[in-house]
């Protein structure tokens, strides 16, 4: 067995999959004897802990990004991780809801930002965002999930607004950085694990 095949198997086991599982991306990496597989495995493993987020927060953050990216394999995996870290059904539902709500906001506010027309800022949005008003995960953590989803979706206006809100709530830039780091790794892993 090659080193790449062994690393793929370790990655799959880490993600809760059978070591023999393969998809098109994994097959191509394996055929090409890609050195990247080791980086991917190490990066993916690093999403389980953080110096600035607890393990439950890491799992909920990753779940929200997996939902945002519509990755069923990672959704299932990180739901199980969140449950193992004592996340409640309400907290898990909120991570899912956050991904959906921010997808809406990211499209809407990116549109306003791209056009740069004052008229579009004067027209009422007419979208409901009750989830943001009193989140069960707490305002600061909900904002962290929001900035992570917004970064993945490329909404500059939303990223800046959520960063300002998070810092205003007393969170550190390191917490923000780790949230976005986890989001980037889950997005990357989702290109290969699906």
């Amino acid at each position: 067995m090659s080193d790449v095949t062994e690393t793929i198997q370790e990655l799959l086991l880490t993600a809760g999959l059978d070591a023999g599982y393969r998809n098109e991306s994994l097959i191509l990496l394996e055929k090409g004897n890609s050195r990247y597989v080791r980086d991917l495995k190490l990066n993916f493993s690093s999403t389980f802990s953080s110096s600035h987020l607890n393990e439950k927060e890491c799992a909920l953050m990753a779940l929200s990004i997996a939902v945002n990216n519509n990755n069923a394999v990672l959704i299932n995996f990180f739901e199980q991780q969140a449950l193992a870290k004592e996340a409640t059904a309400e907290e898990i539902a909120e991570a899912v809801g956050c991904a959906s709500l921010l997808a809406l906001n990211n499209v809407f506010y990116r549109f306003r930002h791209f056009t740069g027309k004052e008229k579009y800022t004067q027209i009422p949005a007419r979208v409901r965002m009750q989830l943001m008003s009193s989140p069960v995960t707490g305002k600061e953590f909900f904002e962290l999930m929001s900035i992570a989803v917004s970064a993945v979706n490329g909404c500059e206006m939303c990223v800046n607004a959520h960063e300002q809100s998070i810092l205003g709530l007393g969170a550190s830039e390191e917490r923000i950085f780790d949230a976005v780091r986890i989001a980037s790794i889950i997005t990357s892993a989702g290109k290969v694990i699906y």
Side-chain angles (χ1 to χ4, degrees):
M1 177 183 327
S2 75
D3 287 346
V4 168
T5 298
E6 188 176 324
T7 304
I8 287 173
Q9 290 177 343
E10 292 169 3
L11 170 64
L12 292 169
L13 291 172
T14 301
L17 295 168
D18 183 87
Y21 175 85
R22 294 294 183 277
N23 59 37
E24 296 84 356
S25 295
L26 287 169
I27 291 168
L28 292 172
L29 288 170
E30 193 168 23
K31 276 177 127 169
N33 202 31
S34 177
R35 297 176 302 152
Y36 174 65
V37 174
R38 180 168 165 68
D39 291 342
L40 180 61
K41 183 189 96 160
L42 294 171
N43 288 340
F44 187 75
S45 296
S46 78
T47 64
F48 303 127
S49 64
S50 159
S51 299
H52 306 285
L53 301 169
N54 66 44
E55 290 179 338
K56 180 172 82 171
E57 289 174 329
C58 289
L60 289 169
M61 183 69 61
L63 174 62
S64 189
I65 299 304
V67 169
N68 181 70
N69 295 344
N70 200 29
N71 186 307
V73 171
L74 294 180
I75 290 168
N76 181 59
F77 176 72
F78 284 110
E79 176 193 10
Q80 296 310 310
Q81 289 294 305
L83 288 168
K85 300 303 176 191
E86 301 182 358
T88 65
E90 291 81 10
E91 290 169 326
I92 289 169
E94 191 164 273
V96 172
C98 180
S100 178
L101 174 59
L102 268 291
L104 177 154
N105 284 353
N106 295 159
V107 170
F108 187 77
Y109 289 103
R110 210 168 45 224
F111 164 78
R112 281 184 167 177
H113 178 75
F114 286 163
T115 61
K117 290 185 176 180
E118 182 66 27
K119 176 69 174 177
Y120 294 127
T121 64
Q122 297 169 354
I123 300 171
R126 294 185 48 215
V127 295
R128 302 269 310 175
M129 295 185 266
Q130 291 289 328
L131 186 62
M132 292 180 123
S133 65
S134 58
V136 296
T137 56
K139 184 71 172 157
E140 186 260 1
F141 185 70
F142 190 88
E143 288 287 330
L144 281 172
M145 288 191 293
S146 298
I147 197 170
V149 172
S150 296
V152 170
N153 292 340
C155 182
E156 178 183 357
M157 180 181 273
C158 295
V159 165
N160 289 330
H162 291 296
E163 182 198 29
Q164 184 178 14
S165 176
I166 295 164
L167 294 174
L169 291 167
S172 68
E173 290 170 330
E174 288 80 8
R175 270 180 70 78
I176 295 168
F177 188 86
D178 267 7
V180 175
R181 179 187 62 81
I182 289 170
S184 66
I185 292 169
I186 298 307
T187 300
S188 169
K191 305 299 181 187
V192 176
I193 302 171
Y194 52 88

